[in-house]
Amino acid sequence: MAGLMAGFGNFTHAVVRAVPTSLAKEALRTNKLDVDLLKAQREHELYVEVLKHKLGLEVIELPADESMPDCVFVEDAAVVCGDTALITRPGAESRRKETEAMKKVLSDLNLNIVEMTDESATLDGGDVLFTGREFFVGLSKRTNQRGAEILADVFLQDYAVSTVPVTDGLHLKSFCSMAGPGLIAIGSSEHAQKALKIMQQMSDHRYDKLTVPDDIAANCIYMNLPSKGHVLLHCTPEEFPESVKVFEKLKDHMLIPVSNMEKAKVDGALTCCSVLINKKTDV
Amino acid sequence: MVLCQVTMLDGSQFTCEAEKRAKGQYLFFKVCEQLNLLEKDYFGLCFKDNADQKCWLDPLKEIKRQIRNGPWNFSFNVKFYPPDPSQLTEDITRYLLCLQLRQDIASGRLPCSFVTHALLGSYTLQAELGDHDPDEHRTDYTSDFQFAPNQTREMEEKVVELHKSHRGMTPAQADSQFLENAKKLSMFGVDLHHAKDSEGVDIMLGVCANGLLIYKDRLRINRFAWPKILKISYKRSNFYIKIRPGETEQFESTVGFKLPNHRAAKKLWKVCVEHHTFFRLMTPEQPTKAKFLTLGSKFRYSGRTQAQTRQASSLIDRPAPYFQRTSSKRISRSLDGAPVISVTSDGSGPLGEKENGRDPALELSSDSKDEDEMPGDGAAAATTAATLDSAEEDAEESEAILRKGFNAQDLDKTQDDVLKHQASISELKRSFMEATPEPRPSQWDKRLTASPVTSLRLQAQGKSPPRMETFLPESKDVAKSADNKQKSEAVAVATTATQPVVEIEETVIVEEVRKTPKPATSAIPEVHAAPTTEPQAAAVAAKEASASSDSESEEEAEYHPQITSVSVEQIKEEPEEEEQEEAELNKQQHQPEPSPLPQPIAETDPEPEPAPAPSQPVIEDGTPDTKEDAQPPMEVVEDDGIVEEEMMVTPEEAPNGYSAAEGQGLGSLEEEDQEPRVNGDALHVDTDHLPQVICCSEPPVVKTEMVTISDTFAAQKTEIATKEVPIVHTETKTITYEAAQLDGSGDGEPGVLMTAQTITSESLCTTTTTHITKTLKGGLSETRIEKRIVITGDSDIDHDQALAQAIKEAKEQHPDMSVTRVVVHKETELAEDED
């Protein structure tokens, strides 16, 4: 009988997808950087390892599809909250097919599936920040107003859904994420700070902020697991030494640095690589 | 007598009689008494208007005038949803809130997900039926309840499942759990209104405890917390909010919304005013006496604020009252396990309930505690001028006496006695509950009577009287202006301050825009029914005591939420105030209490003002000191005066019990004090200064509000500035009368601008722009206040009276200043302005 909004960060399952070889050459990217495929694959394996063994989540691993170079970034394909999963309509046309496998696996998990069928709507899961109390949807290159509206139709019932313009960067979560209950990790760039201001203005709730020097480092994965307590997956000191120092101030968190160097080259952040689900076995 | 039907939250009907001329509060109190509800400020009565729209019954107005020809049918509802229901004192209040929320949820007004529906439903079952009993509670026992707008079998199963898990929870605990979950819903307590943004896109405006929310479809696209909002106004069917500039912005922006009609705009405005006052302020804004013009909606929230009601309820000290739950007929238990009055479910018919409702166990507080426990009241009363607090004090006194009597009495008195006594207790209870919100006169008012300014202002006024005789009735369509200039005695006042010489000057520009008669609105009869016989527009000029222009017929109004810091301060400071002892309170009469003293609305308004434009600003704006120190006294006057003007409440709208005593008392005091003087002034001028025409030019421009209508993505996009210029054909004439005497203020050496502020306030029929500049010129400090008042009226305005009143009030507001110029500019609209 968990009350509304109880158990933020509590997950039991994770859906991930393997890295296709096509990622190195064909995956969409905002910067023209070369990706070391093998390194990227190793990174991803480590990521899955952490979820599976270190944290004990039940990880469902989808096979890579070479025709979908971005398919490793499963987060964009679905937004899951509670028992409801919204299958998105990704903003990049080349990624639309990624949702098919996602839809299948989520319905196999007995989630209530809602599909975004509206042809005028686009939404990437990377633009959806769920704070435990409400949703913020970044209006970005990939996500439009209509997409946000549909998300609101699905989730508004319990949660407020507010929009935030993403003026720079790929996704809303390219520069922010939740680092704890009521704690938003945010990058230091001007547009990140501006977006945070807007979120604070739009919200009835008060959030603490954790400002990290590097925008992309602000993308971390927070979990609150029954056996582990507060867990935070964040960037490694090799990537962002200064930002790591900030995370290290979180004394109550179990901190797990996870390398994301290669995937970051194709704009993949930590949260991008998994869809986390809380599937209560009890009532 | 008329029969009133009230639908209660549990669906039952309550019938009672009311006198034809009874006010809303009469019925409301009847209902609360029936419910045995003490924390009633969260609730209200609704009725349906002609357009089948739900309206709140104004407690201070006659019921008959509000419902018009409609039936005397009402519903009892939650008006202000407490954001934290656990802070309510009594279980019965929480229970009623639960009932309201169940209605809201079942009707779909409060959307929630399947899971939440099920969870809330399960608490409802626990509260109503108690523990799940496998024998008694067969599969269909849930069908009597509606948990969701479209309840499915699946949901009912889930509800039952969860119900089983609540074993052992008392009804009160279940209610609390219900509320703890419901309060987190994103639409909890949000009052939605349909509107369009500047681009004509359908949006929803939601008013809640924290501010104003903007939704497009179901997306929240913007949010304006109360502290961000400087002004709320409406004009015809437009609704405007003026937003405090952000850290990086220089100017405030105004966001406009289009409501379906004027009525909707006004309704939204009222809801905003009420919510802001209830949730943000310590005390409701009080009626004020000295104001410039009294046109426009004087509507203000008249009840108690949340802070006040919490304070009052903290004094509730009665055993948890018995109340019957709708379906279970079970006895409620209080959370803390207080003993339950044992009434068997069979015997607890309405009669039993009622008797119980009058349970004499109510003891508000012990006598000895009284002083300490009602410090708010005490402070209010004590700081109030002696004449003002009588009403409340009487109430308190009688209450104390009654209570003593009760304590002394023994239980062996006759049944009759007991009943009588109960009646008096309940009366007393009511008077107590009503007594608290006594609007306190603003600190300035109090100071006014004590400070030396008062005496000086008499002198000051004697010398600089505007000529009012020139405004002849037949000149109605001719604009004119009079100008008088004079150095005032106020100089003397100011010299007591640090500045060597202070020259004070006040410019009053009264602009009137008169429209051709418009189609009478439905509200007009009300105007006539009001004590004043003046037509609505003329009421502008009416003395405040009779300024009763009915709000229904108002076209526009505005409301300046008090600046955040003020309200926060108020709330913070209150407890301190409470602790103050009598002796200290006396002192307070001379020392401005920090709380009710509004801070000046320091704005840098981009609006160009034809004001003296001295060279460079040296100081942005001095925050006014709440203490009388080096500041020239009139600064406080200005600030206060302006705010007062915006915060006025007509005595009529003040609650009965004390308003008559206080508001009217104030009014009459005022009049005795000042009225003759003004008359004297006028005569005086007539002989002394014959104004001469100086100019007769003013372009035929309709004074319109210039608004930046930014679309609702205000935070996200750059604003689209638009000028809203209604196409109105007008006839314009302006005549400026200026007094012969000219002082050197406007010319010659450029002074150093010390402060400049422009305050615009709008109300239904008036727009007042106050421009205050302070300049320093070679050791001379000069304060110039320019007021531009646009009066919009659709019936004949008594210009003489309006002007006279305007001038009078200007002087009352700034007693130590002189009126130097009066420009009357009049426009007659030829085309009818559709609504």
Side-chain angles (χ1 to χ4, degrees), chain B residues 497-723:
Chain B
T498 48
Q499 271 122 342
V501 186
V502 182
E503 192 181 301
I504 302 155
E505 178 186 308
E506 172 164 344
T507 308
V508 179
I509 297 182
V510 179
E511 273 198 33
E512 298 187 325
V513 180
R514 183 172 161 260
K515 292 182 185 163
T516 43
K518 293 170 64 163
T521 63
S522 48
I524 292 236
E526 286 193 42
V527 176
H528 292 305
T532 32
T533 49
E534 291 136 316
Q536 184 216 347
V540 185
K543 295 138 210 122
E544 69 209 75
S546 59
S548 62
S549 81
D550 185 77
S551 52
E552 298 306 317
S553 55
E554 287 149 4
E555 274 239 302
E556 57 187 66
E558 71 157 25
Y559 172 74
H560 285 244
Q562 279 191 26
I563 295 167
T564 338
S565 57
V566 175
S567 41
V568 169
E569 212 173 270
Q570 280 186 348
I571 289 168
K572 279 193 191 139
E573 307 239 358
E574 199 67 6
E576 273 176 39
E577 219 176 283
E578 289 163 22
E579 283 153 28
Q580 277 162 342
E581 302 282 37
E582 277 277 344
E584 233 177 306
L585 294 171
N586 291 337
K587 213 166 58 189
Q588 278 194 343
Q589 284 200 343
H590 306 282
Q591 207 183 53
E593 225 177 306
S595 45
L597 188 75
Q599 294 200 354
I601 306 159
E603 303 174 345
T604 39
D605 205 308
E607 217 173 299
E609 274 300 311
S615 50
Q616 79 265 57
V618 173
I619 310 163
E620 241 331 281
D621 180 52
T623 347
D625 249 316
T626 41
K627 300 226 163 68
E628 282 173 314
D629 48 23
Q631 301 273 20
M634 86 295 146
E635 167 149 336
V636 185
V637 184
E638 293 159 22
D639 297 332
D640 229 352
I642 286 144
V643 179
E644 274 172 14
E645 184 182 327
E646 291 155 7
M647 292 172 179
M648 67 209 180
V649 172
T650 51
E652 274 201 347
E653 288 187 2
N656 242 353
Y658 42 88
S659 84
E662 182 177 295
Q664 302 278 15
L666 262 181
S668 54
L669 260 183
E670 259 286 292
E671 246 130 56
E672 277 165 26
D673 204 29
Q674 295 172 350
E675 192 77 306
R677 199 176 59 228
V678 170
N679 290 340
D681 284 351
L683 283 168
H684 185 61
V685 185
D686 210 6
T687 50
D688 264 10
H689 305 275
L690 265 179
Q692 55 183 121
V693 183
I694 299 225
C695 66
C696 186
S697 65
E698 188 95 79
V701 178
V702 183
K703 172 105 170 130
T704 54
E705 203 191 16
M706 220 215 272
V707 217
T708 313
I709 301 187
S710 70
D711 73 3
T712 45
F713 303 86
Q716 315 173 8
K717 288 195 207 165
T718 44
E719 283 159 11
I720 304 151
T722 43
K723 276 184 220 172

Side-chain angles (χ1 to χ4, degrees), chain B residues 219-284:
Chain B
L219 272 184
R220 186 188 288 185
I221 54 172
N222 216 337
R223 171 178 179 271
F224 301 102
W226 293 128
K228 277 287 273 182
I229 300 177
L230 289 170
K231 190 177 96 175
I232 311 163
S233 57
Y234 73 96
K235 204 170 202 171
R236 297 194 201 92
S237 60
N238 296 312
F239 175 78
Y240 304 107
I241 47 174
K242 192 186 261 182
I243 311 299
R244 181 185 300 278
E247 286 160 38
T248 52
E249 299 143 326
Q250 222 180 340
F251 302 116
E252 59 241 13
S253 51
T254 297
V255 185
F257 303 97
K258 183 96 182 151
L259 275 285
N261 52 50
H262 165 235
R263 184 183 283 260
K266 181 174 177 189
K267 195 169 149 189
L268 171 60
W269 178 81
K270 272 184 155 182
V271 168
C272 284
V273 170
E274 291 184 324
H275 273 72
H276 175 265
T277 309
F278 187 80
F279 289 111
R280 293 276 317 159
L281 300 187
M282 193 60 211
T283 54

Side-chain angles (χ1 to χ4, degrees), chain B residues 722-789:
Chain B
T722 43
K723 276 184 220 172
E724 220 191 42
V725 184
I727 304 151
V728 184
H729 303 280
T730 56
E731 244 173 30
T732 316
K733 281 177 192 168
T734 303
I735 304 171
T736 305
Y737 290 80
E738 280 210 29
Q741 190 189 349
L742 252 182
D743 83 338
S745 62
D747 50 32
E749 53 173 325
V752 180
L753 178 67
M754 295 175 71
T755 65
Q757 57 184 143
T758 304
I759 295 150
T760 312
S761 65
E762 283 160 61
S763 50
L764 186 66
C765 300
T766 57
T767 306
T768 307
T769 311
T770 310
H771 192 82
I772 302 170
T773 45
K774 280 187 215 284
T775 44
L776 197 61
K777 279 188 211 173
L780 285 181
S781 165
E782 179 189 289
T783 302
R784 184 180 275 267
I785 301 179
E786 196 171 301
K787 274 191 193 227
R788 179 180 295 265
I789 304 156

